[in-house]
Amino acid sequence: MGVLMSKKQQVEKVQKCNAVVSAFQAGLKERPAPAKQAEGEVEEGEGPAKPSANHDKKNTEEAEQEETDNSAGPSTSQQGSAAARDDCKVNQEAWSRLRDGKGVEPEDLDKSHQLTPPAFVRPKREADDDQSVEVELEKKEQPPSDEMCDVCEVWTADDLYPCRICTRVFHDGCLRELGYLRAEALQEMRDTAHTVTGWSCYYCDNLNLLLTEEEMYSLMETFKQCKIIPESCLVSDELLQYRHFASKQQFDKDLTDEQEEEVLAQFAALDPEKKGHIEWFDFLYFESLAMLKKFRTENSLVRLLTGKERDKARSVFLGLDLDQDGVITRAECRQAQQSWFHKLNKDSQSCNVRLMGLCSPMYCGISHVGPICESSPASSGSERSKSDESRPVTWADFLKESGIYIIAARPNSSAMHIRLPL
């Protein structure tokens, strides 16, 4: 406990020093200008020096008046250029935050009392990233949550809110001071963090942080070519234009009428509250998942899963494996993949009814990363053979096939960032 108190005292000491420095700088700004002091000395001196001082003062006032007149009425071209420079600066800052994985507006961090936001480091793929990883079915990991707040590193028992994905815990006050969660998000965290639904911290909620530097560069280049401005909302026409460009670049052909309908269905899935536009982060998470599906193997996606996610996968698999032979059917595997999105059900109605609506073609999105395969729901539809329905799926296969859906269920948003299996 002494170590923790000393850490807290060090933080308080640094904050006090910052307050003293800020007060000292504010005092310097409020000090009178040296010219006024010189003017006072002249007035206290001999009489002959007064006319000269008055003359200099008059010249100074005339110069200031001219500067005021010149600056009072800038031309229209000057105003336009200044506005263009401001817009360019805002866009550059947005691109910089997108590249570095920071999704916070500048004004949200422009507060002297806020804590320093963490520096995100994008992951690097290891040499064995595509190799299979052994995950035992019978042995649960049950990783314990951290004992101290991830921000201030202080333990305060019941005041800590755990992440449902990783082992980090947080104080609501620290997250508010950090500037990453607004009032509504903070209240949602307080309401859900200690429930079965759970809450994802800002590390796990942001799927874009899973991309490497190379993957992020590829995604940013696509955004720039399609003139997508980071941190801006997208309407349906903009999403259609983006999908048309992606199809032209990858397959050298435009979208068909059927594919356009699927894009609009994707728009509806990303806009569950019917606002008429897609929030930036919902669009970014969808595209980040598309990049993961394009560049990562199933084994690589399994390595991204946390201990809590693997434990939940075990519980789901064992719940479906009624005869306990370590094998389930393909139909049961798809049912399990839908179960990751039970968190979307915020009312008292049946989760199964809600998922049936979300899994219909009108609510499922598409990805532009490649053509639809023959075994996909869009191509097979109701003609899926019974042999495929009863195909055996082992624990290892179940984990590899479900990895992308487990990751897609991380965000706290109610939007659907991936197509659910039918």
Side-chain angles (χ1 to χ4, degrees), residues 102-296:
K102 299 178 180 179
V104 183
E105 298 290 345
E107 56 269 20
D108 293 336
L109 296 178
D110 189 16
K111 298 180 181 179
S112 58
H113 68 277
Q114 284 190 332
L115 301 173
T116 303
F120 297 117
V121 179
R122 294 200 172 274
K124 295 182 179 179
R125 299 192 62 180
E126 303 294 337
D128 60 346
D129 194 53
D130 295 330
Q131 301 297 323
S132 61
V133 54
E134 294 293 335
V135 180
E136 299 181 15
L137 176 60
E138 294 78 11
K139 184 179 179 180
K140 287 192 174 182
E141 301 175 49
Q142 297 179 337
S145 297
D146 297 342
E147 296 181 354
M148 296 185 295
C149 173
D150 189 72
V151 179
C152 67
E153 299 183 1
V154 174
W155 177 81
T156 54
D158 296 337
D159 294 335
L160 293 172
Y161 295 89
C163 173
R164 66 183 176 89
I165 305 299
C166 64
T167 60
R168 300 182 183 92
V169 294
F170 302 87
H171 292 124
D172 55 348
C174 291
L175 292 175
R176 182 177 62 253
E177 295 294 318
L178 200 62
Y180 277 123
L181 294 183
R182 302 182 185 274
E184 295 181 359
L186 279 172
Q187 187 58 44
E188 180 182 357
M189 178 199 68
R190 299 187 187 102
D191 296 339
T192 61
H194 293 290
T195 64
V196 177
T197 301
W199 164 81
S200 297
C201 67
Y202 52 83
Y203 289 101
C204 302
D205 179 80
N206 191 347
L207 300 180
N208 182 254
L209 296 179
L210 298 175
L211 301 185
T212 62
E213 292 285 352
E214 295 78 12
E215 293 166 344
M216 191 61 218
Y217 176 80
S218 175
L219 184 59
M220 289 177 62
E221 286 299 310
T222 303
F223 287 166
K224 290 180 180 179
Q225 293 174 4
C226 298
K227 298 181 180 180
I228 298 294
I229 301 176
E231 302 175 4
S232 61
C233 299
L234 277 76
V235 296
S236 57
D237 291 341
E238 292 174 327
L239 185 62
L240 277 172
Q241 182 180 0
Y242 175 75
R243 289 287 180 259
H244 271 290
F245 178 85
S247 177
K248 197 72 174 178
Q249 288 291 107
Q250 297 179 18
F251 313 121
D252 196 22
K253 61 181 181 180
D254 294 327
L255 296 177
T256 63
D257 294 341
E258 181 180 355
Q259 289 174 328
E260 286 187 354
E261 292 180 0
E262 291 178 336
V263 173
L264 295 178
Q266 173 195 321
F267 181 88
L270 292 174
D271 182 26
E273 299 180 2
K274 308 302 179 185
K275 296 180 180 179
H277 64 266
I278 299 175
E279 297 295 337
W280 164 250
F281 283 109
D282 289 328
F283 172 73
L284 180 62
Y285 296 165
F286 187 95
E287 295 302 312
S288 299
L289 285 170
M291 295 296 293
L292 290 175
K293 292 173 63 177
K294 180 178 181 180
F295 292 108
R296 305 291 184 92

Side-chain angles (χ1 to χ4, degrees), residues 75-108:
S75 62
T76 305
S77 60
Q78 291 176 343
Q79 292 178 348
S81 61
R85 286 195 299 269
D86 293 340
D87 293 341
C88 182
K89 182 179 180 182
V90 171
N91 291 340
Q92 289 178 351
E93 291 175 348
W95 281 111
S96 177
R97 287 192 297 275
L98 176 61
R99 182 188 65 249
D100 299 335
K102 299 178 180 179
V104 183
E105 298 290 345
E107 56 269 20
D108 293 336

